[in-house]
Amino acid sequence: MYLSLWEYIEYKEKEEYRIILKKLNVWKKKVRERDGNKCVKSGTTEKLEIHHIKSYTLYPEFRTRISNGKTLCSSCHKKTRYHGHKIRKHPLYKDHNQYLINKYIK
């Protein structure tokens, strides 16, 4: 089977994504177990999420370190400083975007 360059790149990206996803699922499980399957702030056991203490986007080297995660309920997770879209307010975010532009576009 012949793949065009773009199809090959897309295939490799999907393969890398699968590998990363598998590592993240293992990481999430270990963090939850360490935290006793409950929110470390409220103590609830419902609607649990795993929070990256250092940003997933800005610090890729810390993505799967157990020490960089904590179990939070969705309510407590939303209150974290740079949760989700709020990462754009982080002072390093602009530099990270420039890094991505330089890596993939230029």
Side-chain angles (χ1 to χ4, degrees), residues 18-19 25 31 48-49 58 62 71 79 91 100:
R18 281 191 279 273
I19 292 167
N25 285 333
V31 172
L48 296 178
E49 300 174 356
L58 299 176
F62 291 103
T71 306
K79 295 174 187 171
L100 291 175

Side-chain angles (χ1 to χ4, degrees), residues 27-92:
W27 173 80
K28 287 178 182 182
K29 183 179 179 184
K30 288 181 179 181
V31 172
R32 283 182 108 170
E33 287 172 355
R34 182 201 64 201
D35 295 338
N37 287 307
K38 62 183 177 182
C39 176
V40 296
K41 291 199 176 220
S42 69
T44 187
T45 57
E46 296 182 19
K47 297 182 181 180
L48 296 178
E49 300 174 356
I50 308 302
H51 172 66
H52 283 90
I53 298 165
K54 287 190 177 274
S55 167
Y56 179 92
T57 304
L58 299 176
Y59 302 96
E61 67 274 17
F62 291 103
R63 286 180 181 167
T64 55
R65 288 192 188 172
I66 306 301
S67 60
N68 188 42
K70 61 182 171 182
T71 306
L72 297 172
C73 64
S74 61
S75 178
C76 290
H77 196 197
K78 288 176 186 172
K79 295 174 187 171
T80 58
R81 187 167 182 198
Y82 295 115
H83 177 262
H85 67 280
K86 292 185 280 187
I87 188 67
R88 293 181 191 98
K89 296 177 183 175
H90 193 287
L92 295 176

